Amino acid sequence: MVLLANELPQSQSQPFVHMMCLRNHLMPATLRGSIITSYQCNLLCNGIDSWGDHCNNSNLIQSQKRYHITSRQQQQQKRIPRMSEMRSLEEALTATHDNLDRLSPRDVSAFWAVVPTFLGGREHRTTNQQQQQQMFHHFDKISTASIQDIDRYDPRDMTTLAISLAKVIDKISKRKRPTKGSPHQILRDILIGNDSKIKQYIFREIASSSVPILHEFNARELSNLIYAFGLSQEVVLVNDGSTFFDMLAKEVMNFDNLDEFWPQALSNTVWAFATAGESQPRLFERVADHIVQLDNLNNFKPQELKDIVWAYATAEEHHSQLFTRLADHIIKLDNLRQFDGQALSNTIWAYATSGESHPQLFKKVADHIISLNTLDRYNSQNLKDIVWAFATAGESHPILFKKVADYIITLDKLDKFKPQHLSNTVWAFATTGESHPKLFKTLAEEAIKRQHEFNPQEIANFLWSYATNGQVDEHLFSLLVPAVKANLNKYITQNLANVAWAYSVANVDTPSVFNNDFINACLKKEDEFILEHLRQLHQWQLWQHELKSDISLPESLKKKCYETFISEDPSPSKLQDDVVSCLSSIGLQPHEEVLLNSGYRIDAVVEVNGKQSAIEIDGPSHFIGRSRELTGSTILKHRQVAALDGMKVVSIPYWHWDKLKKDSGRKQQYLQHLLDYNSKSL
C-alpha cells in the first residue's frame, strides 16, 4: 500500500501504486513525508497549485486526528453504517469511504474484516472505467488512512487490521491472473505492488506500531497477530537484528502458563511460525508440553488438531508425546465426519513426515475414507497426500489405494493435478506395491501431454515408479524422452540413477539421453552417489551391454558400481531352503547363491540335460502387492541373466509352492515338470 521514498525506484511502470513522492522539494513543507498515490504524484509534478487543490478536495491530509470529532454538527451527523449490515463489497467500500473522517480505528478495521468475505465469491469486473477509478481511489484512500493512523490503534484494532489485511492479501495472491478492473486486481495493485514492496511496507508498519504496546496484548490478540504475520509470510527485522517473530515468541513465553490460550490460539501460533519458516524450539516445546498435560482435547476442533501436527512436521520440531496424545484422541472419536479432506490428508501427512508411527490412526483414517460414497470433496492434493503418507509411513491398505485409484480414473479431466500430484501418486502406489494398471495408464497419458511442466525430481520419480511397478510401457518411455533430456543437467544423483534404472527396466533404447552427456553428468557427481544409486548404475551398464552400445561408465566408476552391486550378503528364505531341499531329493545337485559374471546372485543353479538353469524362488517381494505381476527389479534380473549370463531362468512363484503345502511327492513332480527333468531314482 505504501512505501518510503528511499524504498522506491525512480519510476513505476504499474499504473496504480502507492508511494512517497520522490521529489520532496516540489512539495509544500507541511506535506512532505505524506503518503500519496501515483495519481497524486502526477498532479504534484504538474504544478503545486493543482496539488493543493486536489488535497483540499479530497481531505487526504489533515493536521488534526482523523477520527476526532469536536463540533456539535459532527456529533449530529447520521449514524455510522455497521459493516454487518453491508450486503456487497461496493456497499461496504462506499459507506466506509463516505464516512472515513468520522470513523474510529475500530470502524476502519471492521471494514477490512469484511473484505475477505466479499472477495470469496466469484471474481467480477467493474465494466465502467469511471467506476474502476472510483473503486481504486476509495480503496486507496481507506488503505492510506489505515496505515497513517496506525499509531492510534489499540491491541484489538491492531490485530483485526493485521489479520484482515493478511487474509485479503492471501486471497488476491491466489488469483494468478486477476481480471482487469476487478476488486482483486485493484487490491493487488494497492496492497501488494511490484515485487511485494507495498505488502512488505504494510507489515513493517504494523510491526513497528505493535512493538510499544505488545505487552498489552492478551492471549487471543497475540495469537491472532502472530497468525496474521504467518499468513502474510512477512518476516520483519527489528533494530537488534532479530525478527518480529522473535519478539512475538518472547511475549508468548512471558505468560506464566498457556491456559489463557484457547485451542485456536495455540494452533494459530505454531501454524504461523511454521508457515513463516521461523524456528522457535522453546516455544514449540512449551506449547506441546501444555497440550500433553491437558485433561482432554475435547475442545480442539479438527482444523486445530490438523494445524498443530502440520506445524510440528513442517517446522521439523519433534515431540512424540504430542503426536501420540493427538492420535489417541482422534482414534477415540466416534467418527471422522467433521474432518474434511484437507484436515485428514494434512494430519496423516504430518505423521508420515515426522516419522511418528501410529498404525491405529492410519487405519481409522483409511476406514473412514473407504466408507464414503464418493471422494468428490477430496481435491488432487488431498488424494496425493493421503496415498503418499501411507506409502511413506509404510502403512499398507490395498482397499484404500484401490478406492483412490478407482475415483481418479473416473474423472473427466486431470488438469487440477499438478505434476507433483501425478508423480507422488504413482510413487506411492509403486512404493507400497499396489497394482492398478488403469490408473497408471490414465496418469501416463496426462504426463505425456504435460511433460514440459515436470521438474527434474518429478519426471525422475514418475519414470522410476512405472519401472518399479513393472509398468514398462514403451509408448510412455519413448514419448517422455524430450522431458528427460531437457532436465539432464539439472538432475541430482538420485534422479540420474532412477532415470537410468527405469529405462533399463523398460528396455527402451534412448541414445539421445544415454550418451556422453549422461556420462559427464554422472562423473560430475561421482562422489555423491549412495550405494543404492551405484547398484542402479551397474544395472544400467549391464543394459548397455545388452544393447551392444559403445557407451560406458569410466572404469573407476564402473568398478565401484560392480563392487557395490555384489557386496550385499545373501539371505536365503525358508521357502528357498525348502525348494533347494526338494531339488536335491530328485537327484539334482543345486548350488546356492551363485554369483554370476553379470554380478547377479542366483538362488540356485542346477544342471539339467547338460545345460545350467538359474532357479529363482520368487517370494511375495518379487510381485506387485497381492497381484501376480512381477516387479520391475525382478523383470530386469530375469532378462539380464538370460541375456548376459546365457542361462535359462526358471521362476518358482511362491503361490505355486504354497499350494503344494507339505506334500513332498507333489513338490518333486512339480519341479520335474518345470525343469523337464526325469529322475531315474523315482
Side-chain angles (χ1 to χ4, degrees):
M1 181 201 325
V2 287
L3 294 176
L4 294 177
N6 61 3
E7 295 171 334
L8 282 174
Q10 292 301 311
S11 64
Q12 291 279 2
S13 59
Q14 190 167 319
F16 298 125
V17 173
H18 279 76
M19 61 182 178
M20 293 290 292
C21 181
L22 301 181
R23 301 180 179 87
N24 276 346
H25 66 279
L26 294 178
M27 191 182 297
T30 56
L31 300 179
R32 289 176 188 165
S34 300
I35 302 167
I36 60 175
T37 65
S38 57
Y39 170 75
Q40 295 158 354
C41 224
N42 288 335
L43 287 176
L44 178 59
C45 294
N46 288 333
I48 294 178
D49 291 340
S50 60
W51 161 258
D53 292 341
H54 180 76
C55 285
N56 289 333
N57 291 333
S58 65
N59 291 320
L60 277 175
I61 310 300
Q62 298 182 22
S63 58
Q64 61 179 0
K65 292 295 184 181
R66 183 178 301 279
Y67 306 117
H68 185 57
I69 300 175
T70 57
S71 69
R72 181 177 301 177
Q73 182 179 3
Q74 288 175 314
Q75 294 174 358
Q76 292 175 348
Q77 288 177 341
K78 62 181 181 180
R79 179 176 69 87
I80 295 175
R82 295 179 182 274
M83 288 298 105
S84 59
E85 299 171 352
M86 301 296 104
R87 296 295 177 264
S88 68
L89 178 60
E90 290 77 5
E91 185 180 359
L93 180 64
T94 301
T96 303
H97 173 270
D98 292 349
N99 293 278
L100 190 56
D101 293 339
R102 301 191 300 128
L103 300 183
S104 67
R106 186 148 304 172
D107 296 324
V108 175
S109 62
F111 162 73
W112 288 112
V114 301
V115 174
T117 303
F118 291 126
L119 290 176
R122 187 175 181 180
E123 184 181 9
H124 65 279
R125 177 177 182 270
T126 304
T127 55
N128 186 292
Q129 187 173 5
Q130 185 176 359
Q131 290 177 338
Q132 292 177 22
Q133 292 177 347
Q134 184 183 54
M135 177 176 285
F136 169 80
H137 288 298
H138 283 185
F139 270 124
D140 179 37
K141 188 174 180 180
I142 296 169
S143 57
T144 301
S146 301
I147 298 303
Q148 269 189 324
D149 292 324
I150 199 168
D151 288 340
R152 299 181 57 237
Y153 284 53
D154 64 15
R156 174 180 169 181
D157 300 331
M158 186 78 73
T159 296
T160 303
L161 177 67
I163 202 169
S164 300
L165 287 174
K167 288 180 178 179
V168 171
I169 291 172
D170 180 60
K171 282 186 177 292
I172 60 180
S173 297
K174 290 177 179 177
R175 299 285 177 97
K176 293 183 178 180
R177 296 178 181 176
T179 304
K180 186 176 181 181
S182 68
H184 292 79
Q185 183 262 324
I186 291 172
L187 283 168
R188 180 188 287 265
D189 291 343
I190 292 175
L191 298 181
I192 299 178
N194 289 335
D195 300 322
S196 297
K197 291 293 186 183
I198 300 174
K199 171 189 168 189
Q200 294 166 13
Y201 179 78
I202 290 173
F203 283 91
R204 282 202 301 271
E205 288 298 294
I206 293 174
S208 177
S209 298
S210 298
V211 169
I213 59 172
L214 209 51
H215 62 281
E216 300 176 16
F217 283 66
N218 61 34
R220 181 178 181 182
E221 293 162 349
L222 183 59
S223 66
N224 282 343
L225 185 64
I226 294 171
Y227 178 81
F229 276 80
L231 185 60
S232 69
Q233 297 188 47
E234 286 297 334
V235 179
V236 179
L237 295 176
V238 293
N239 294 335
D240 61 358
S242 61
T243 69
F244 187 52
F245 273 102
D246 293 329
M247 300 185 70
L248 293 170
K250 184 177 180 181
E251 286 301 318
V252 176
M253 298 296 288
N254 284 340
F255 280 77
D256 293 334
N257 58 66
L258 300 184
D259 291 340
E260 294 181 45
F261 285 77
W262 289 10
Q264 186 179 21
L266 293 170
S267 66
N268 281 356
T269 297
V270 293
W271 178 91
F273 278 91
T275 301
E278 286 294 296
S279 176
Q280 292 290 339
R282 290 180 61 243
L283 172 65
F284 274 77
E285 182 178 13
R286 187 174 184 195
V287 171
D289 290 344
H290 171 75
I291 295 173
V292 168
Q293 60 84 33
L294 293 174
D295 293 335
N296 61 70
L297 303 181
N298 295 335
N299 291 329
F300 284 76
K301 298 177 182 178
Q303 175 81 16
E304 294 153 2
L305 296 170
K306 176 265 293 184
D307 283 348
I308 290 170
V309 293
W310 179 91
Y312 278 79
T314 302
E316 298 182 357
E317 295 290 346
H318 299 284
H319 200 292
S320 294
Q321 287 181 303
L322 172 69
F323 276 82
T324 300
R325 181 71 195 281
L326 267 59
D328 289 344
H329 169 75
I330 294 172
I331 64 175
K332 289 177 182 177
L333 297 174
D334 292 337
N335 57 68
L336 300 181
R337 293 171 190 163
Q338 293 184 336
F339 286 76
D340 60 15
Q342 184 179 7
L344 279 180
S345 62
N346 281 13
T347 297
I348 58 172
W349 175 91
Y351 278 81
T353 301
S354 299
E356 295 290 343
S357 176
H358 205 294
Q360 289 176 295
L361 173 65
F362 278 81
K363 183 180 184 304
K364 177 117 181 167
V365 170
D367 290 344
H368 168 74
I369 295 173
I370 291 169
S371 71
L372 299 174
N373 294 326
T374 177
L375 299 182
D376 288 344
R377 294 188 178 182
Y378 287 71
N379 62 33
S380 59
Q381 180 159 342
N382 300 154
L383 296 171
K384 177 267 294 184
D385 284 347
I386 288 168
V387 293
W388 181 92
F390 273 80
T392 302
E395 296 290 342
S396 176
H397 207 296
I399 300 176
L400 169 68
F401 275 73
K402 184 177 185 305
K403 184 167 184 105
V404 171
D406 288 345
Y407 172 74
I408 292 175
I409 64 176
T410 63
L411 298 174
D412 293 333
K413 53 185 179 179
L414 299 178
D415 57 315
K416 298 296 183 182
F417 280 73
K418 298 178 181 179
Q420 183 193 43
H421 301 164
L422 298 171
S423 180
N424 283 10
T425 298
V426 293
W427 177 90
F429 275 78
T431 301
T432 55
E434 295 297 340
S435 176
H436 201 292
K438 288 184 178 179
L439 172 71
F440 275 76
K441 183 176 184 298
T442 300
L443 298 188
E445 292 171 353
E446 188 69 18
I448 291 170
K449 290 188 296 184
R450 297 165 55 194
Q451 58 180 285
H452 63 282
E453 300 175 24
F454 282 67
N455 66 31
Q457 181 77 19
E458 291 160 355
I459 196 70
N461 281 356
F462 195 83
L463 291 167
W464 175 90
S465 301
Y466 276 75
T468 298
N469 238 30
Q471 302 291 327
V472 287
D473 182 354
E474 183 177 349
H475 180 71
L476 168 69
F477 280 81
S478 297
L479 292 182
L480 286 184
V481 166
V484 174
K485 187 177 179 181
N487 286 292
L488 185 61
N489 293 326
K490 304 172 188 174
Y491 289 140
I492 60 175
T493 54
Q494 182 187 42
N495 303 152
L496 287 168
N498 280 352
V499 168
W501 181 84
Y503 273 89
S504 301
V505 174
N507 200 19
V508 176
D509 189 11
T510 47
S512 63
V513 173
F514 300 111
N515 48 32
N516 288 329
D517 291 337
F518 174 78
I519 299 299
N520 291 333
C522 290
L523 283 177
K524 289 178 182 178
K525 298 177 171 62
E526 180 176 355
D527 296 332
E528 301 174 24
F529 287 102
I530 63 174
L531 298 181
E532 179 187 356
H533 302 157
L534 292 172
R535 295 187 185 102
Q536 289 176 310
L537 286 179
H538 175 71
Q539 291 175 301
W540 174 84
Q541 184 64 74
L542 292 178
W543 178 47
Q544 296 306 303
H545 293 326
E546 283 186 85
L547 298 174
K548 296 180 171 52
S549 167
D550 295 332
I551 297 299
S552 177
L553 295 170
E555 286 302 320
S556 59
L557 181 55
K558 186 192 298 185
K559 182 180 179 181
K560 186 189 298 185
C561 292
Y562 174 77
E563 291 177 347
T564 302
F565 190 74
I566 66 173
S567 65
E568 287 186 287
D569 293 327
S571 54
S573 64
K574 290 182 179 180
L575 173 62
Q576 180 176 328
D577 292 339
D578 191 24
V579 172
V580 169
S581 176
C582 283
L583 287 169
S584 298
S585 71
I586 62 175
L588 295 174
Q589 296 178 340
H591 299 278
E592 291 189 77
E593 301 298 340
V594 178
L595 179 63
L596 304 180
N597 291 334
S598 62
Y600 282 109
R601 287 187 184 276
I602 296 299
D603 294 338
V605 174
V606 296
E607 185 173 319
V608 180
N609 302 324
K611 294 183 179 180
Q612 288 189 323
S613 294
I615 309 297
E616 280 291 276
I617 297 97
D618 292 327
S621 64
H622 293 268
F623 298 89
I624 304 167
R626 299 180 182 180
S627 75
R628 296 183 178 182
E629 303 166 31
L630 290 172
T631 63
S633 59
T634 304
I635 291 172
L636 181 60
K637 181 179 182 180
H638 289 186
R639 193 190 78 225
Q640 291 189 330
V641 167
L644 301 175
D645 294 299
M647 283 190 178
K648 176 185 177 181
V649 178
V650 178
S651 173
I652 301 177
Y654 72 95
W655 69 81
H656 282 180
W657 199 256
D658 288 347
K659 283 182 180 179
L660 303 175
K661 299 181 180 180
K662 296 182 179 181
D663 191 330
S664 58
R666 291 179 62 197
K667 289 179 178 178
Q668 291 171 348
Q669 291 175 2
Y670 171 80
L671 290 174
Q672 286 178 308
H673 175 74
L674 192 65
L675 296 169
D676 192 21
Y677 172 70
N678 292 318
S679 174
K680 296 180 181 180
S681 62
L682 292 179

